[in-house]
Amino acid sequence: MGKAPDAVLEVAGRSVTITNPGKVFFPRAGYTKLDLARYYAAVAEGAVRGIAGRPFVLKRYVDGADGEPFFQKRAPEQRPEWIETVELRFPSGRTAREIVVRDAAQLLWIVNLGCIDLNPHPVRADDLEHPDELRVDLDPGPGVSWDDVRRVALLVRGVLDEHGLRGWPKTSGSRGMHVNVRLERRWGFDQVRRAALALAREVERRAPDLASSKWWKEERHGVFLDYNQNAKDRTVASAWSVRPTPDARVSMPLDWDEVADCDPAAFTLATAPARFAARGDAAAGIDDAAGSLDSLLQLSAAQEATGLGDAPWPPHYKKQRDEPPRVAPSRRKATSGGRRSTQPLVTVAKAALKEDALAGLERWKARHPEAAARLQVDDVLVDSMRGRSTTWTRIRVNLRHVPEAERPAEEPPEPDYDPWADSGRERAGSRAPKTRSSS
């Protein structure tokens, strides 16, 4: 038998060729590549709204939904002149020229490359450093019910409302939900991620048995709010995307009054076009609802003041200045909060500046001359610690060479700097906070 002829779809004033149209992309449901293209043509207004003007990562399923996809950041060299591109710079320092979709013809052209779902960046091509979308990704853990996902989504709505932001919910097309928040383009990626982290922690505070903001899987429970989806170079499947599930499920925009009792299995490649024709796009007003991050960032600052600093980043990002140890808690070698040290360590000084910590060490030695005389060079541990936005210094001494009966009792460190208190205090003005007077 000869090869089936190509199909041509007329969209947005262009003729778009779909090669190998009879290729089965969803074996269990029987949907073909042409079925996928026709689906996107039918819901193009909604699908393009979610990706319009955004750099786009090509996630190509050349062997259909059951095959292994590959991500292609760089636009194909051979492309029509009407395919727009823009150059992005990634956290690694590398650059790539990515496709930008603005109409249904461009959308179908990437579908013909084998793209099943759509994965845009949260920025527009005309401003690559200021996201206009905060993305709340609700990721249920093993055994977590759909009902729990919906309950957490409604909690997210409540927090957003309190901070002057409107959330636009959609099914993820898998087991979770997404809530997109349109933003004014005034903040960078790090600030948007920080706001998403604050939101996740507030939801967890309100429903600690139901929601989790913890990055490490061993600490998670219930529904994880993945704040790191807002880190630069991360993408999330957009609204109206078909997902590579056996039933070709769709990431469906919803009205909030649908969230409480919706069934994600009801939205598929076969059923979604009829819903679109009858009801339109539930996210149709999203571009008119850009809000401010100021209130969520104030919440973040308040959380930091109580000791909640940054949270872990994905592993391929560079270590951030105030990030906690990037290692699972069960593997940490911390002297507190984890496995206890077998050495008799005492903390003698904590200071914003190293010189102040060293002065505190000398005062400790003056108070305990007999113990100080027994210390070896490697018994004095000077540690540079990460604070909220700067480093600070901790000094400990190991009393292993001091007979147990002669070891000085643990005392409050002097100075005793708290890196999480008084966030407005300038570093230069905190040379010896909480200094204990000498006797």
Side-chain angles (χ1 to χ4, degrees):
M1 294 179 62
K3 180 181 177 181
D6 296 341
V8 178
L9 298 181
E10 301 292 335
V11 289
R14 299 189 186 276
S15 300
V16 182
T17 299
I18 306 299
T19 60
N20 202 5
K23 183 173 184 177
V24 177
F25 261 37
F26 296 87
R28 300 185 206 182
Y31 304 136
T32 65
K33 185 180 182 181
L34 182 58
D35 292 329
L36 180 66
R38 285 174 171 163
Y39 162 81
Y40 277 117
V43 302
E45 180 186 345
V48 170
R49 179 176 290 109
I51 62 177
R54 303 182 184 280
F56 193 94
V57 177
L58 301 175
K59 185 179 180 184
R60 299 179 63 180
Y61 291 83
V62 294
D63 295 319
D66 285 357
E68 282 293 322
F70 67 92
F71 287 88
Q72 181 177 337
K73 292 185 176 181
R74 289 171 173 79
E77 292 294 334
Q78 300 297 320
R79 59 181 185 269
E81 53 85 21
W82 44 270
I83 294 295
E84 182 182 344
T85 63
V86 68
E87 185 173 83
L88 276 74
R89 181 174 296 276
F90 304 110
S92 65
R94 296 180 179 179
T95 61
R97 185 158 289 279
E98 291 191 1
I99 287 175
V100 177
V101 171
R102 297 187 188 273
D103 64 29
Q106 295 166 332
L107 171 57
L108 263 60
W109 187 82
I110 63 172
V111 170
N112 186 56
L113 296 177
C115 293
I116 293 178
D117 50 9
L118 313 176
N119 293 271
H121 290 272
V123 293
R124 308 281 183 166
D126 61 343
D127 185 352
L128 298 175
E129 298 304 321
H130 297 93
D132 73 336
E133 191 165 80
L134 183 151
R135 296 166 174 179
V136 184
D137 182 3
L138 305 182
D139 182 9
V144 175
S145 70
W146 175 244
D147 185 57
D148 285 345
V149 175
R150 292 181 295 188
R151 290 167 62 196
V152 173
L154 293 172
L155 285 171
V156 168
R157 182 194 188 186
V159 175
L160 289 173
D161 285 349
E162 291 174 19
H163 292 274
L165 293 166
R166 180 171 178 180
W168 300 80
K170 66 184 182 72
T171 64
S172 71
S174 182
R175 298 180 58 240
M177 290 193 74
H178 301 152
V179 181
N180 291 337
V181 182
R182 190 66 85 242
L183 302 175
E184 299 166 0
R185 295 193 283 181
R186 297 197 283 125
W187 297 273
F189 281 93
D190 288 357
Q191 291 171 299
V192 175
R193 176 189 171 276
R194 185 75 72 155
L197 175 59
L199 170 67
R201 284 171 167 167
E202 176 61 16
V203 172
E204 180 180 32
R205 186 189 69 81
R206 298 184 183 196
D209 296 330
L210 191 62
S212 175
S213 66
K214 303 297 188 296
W215 175 251
W216 300 107
K217 289 186 178 180
E218 64 188 48
E219 293 186 305
R220 294 181 198 170
H221 60 273
V223 179
F224 171 50
L225 290 89
D226 190 354
Y227 58 89
N228 270 331
Q229 293 290 23
N230 294 277
K232 189 174 184 179
D233 196 29
R234 296 295 284 258
T235 62
V236 177
S238 61
W240 297 96
S241 286
V242 179
R243 305 307 304 276
T245 58
D247 56 353
R249 201 166 292 188
V250 168
S251 183
M252 177 59 66
L254 302 169
D255 292 320
W256 277 112
D257 60 9
E258 296 180 278
V259 170
D261 57 4
C262 70
D263 178 4
F267 311 122
T268 69
L269 178 153
T271 63
R275 174 185 167 96
F276 185 83
R279 302 182 52 167
D281 181 11
I286 189 170
D287 289 324
D288 298 322
S292 169
L293 274 186
D294 287 341
S295 184
L296 272 185
L297 290 175
Q298 289 172 6
L299 174 63
S300 175
Q303 292 172 345
E304 290 174 7
T306 67
L308 290 173
D310 200 0
W313 287 63
H316 60 287
Y317 287 75
K318 69 178 181 180
K319 191 75 164 68
Q320 304 298 308
R321 185 167 53 182
D322 58 347
E323 182 184 357
R326 195 178 291 179
V327 61
S330 61
R331 299 179 59 190
R332 289 179 190 165
K333 297 180 180 179
T335 58
S336 63
R339 291 179 289 184
R340 294 187 178 274
S341 171
T342 60
Q343 300 294 329
L345 293 171
V346 294
T347 299
V348 300
K350 295 162 62 179
L353 300 176
K354 183 177 179 179
E355 63 198 68
D356 293 338
L358 291 172
L361 170 65
E362 293 306 313
R363 290 192 291 271
W364 182 89
K365 289 180 177 180
R367 292 195 301 273
H368 307 289
E370 295 82 8
R374 295 180 180 273
L375 297 180
Q376 304 296 312
V377 173
D378 59 351
D379 287 339
V380 178
L381 308 175
V382 181
D383 304 312
S384 179
M385 310 294 290
R386 294 182 183 273
R388 179 180 295 104
S389 59
T390 61
T391 59
W392 55 282
T393 300
R394 178 185 66 184
I395 296 181
R396 297 171 294 165
V397 295
N398 191 335
L399 301 177
R400 58 185 174 172
H401 292 113
V402 180
E404 187 169 352
E406 300 176 17
R407 292 172 184 168
E410 181 99 31
E411 303 170 341
E414 196 276 305
D416 189 7
Y417 173 58
D418 181 358
W420 309 114
D422 299 331
S423 60
R425 182 170 54 203
E426 293 294 329
R427 180 173 180 170
S430 57
R431 293 180 58 85
K434 298 186 180 178
T435 301
R436 183 171 57 88
S437 60
S438 300
S439 57

